[in-house]
Amino acid sequence: MVTNSASTAIGLSASKIIPLGMTALLGLFIVGFVGFSHMEVVHNAAHDTRHSLAFPCH
């Protein structure tokens, strides 16, 4: 059985587009929600998490 490697490569890259796009959208939603949240609990939880990971936040 002979398969076309070019079509296989295109199929694999196309199958990765949706998961990568959804991951990017989820990340942007999380950063936007936490970064601009007016709820103090959400902001403080994110702030404490950044400090626990030694990530500079201010």
Side-chain angles (χ1 to χ4, degrees), residues 14-54:
S15 69
K16 292 180 182 180
I17 290 173
I18 293 174
L20 289 173
M22 295 302 289
T23 302
L25 287 174
L26 178 63
L28 287 172
F29 172 75
I30 290 172
V31 168
F33 176 72
V34 171
F36 298 106
S37 178
H38 294 289
M39 297 183 338
E40 190 173 344
V41 174
V42 174
H43 176 78
N44 288 340
H47 189 256
D48 294 343
T49 302
R50 285 190 297 257
H51 279 292
S52 70
L53 296 172

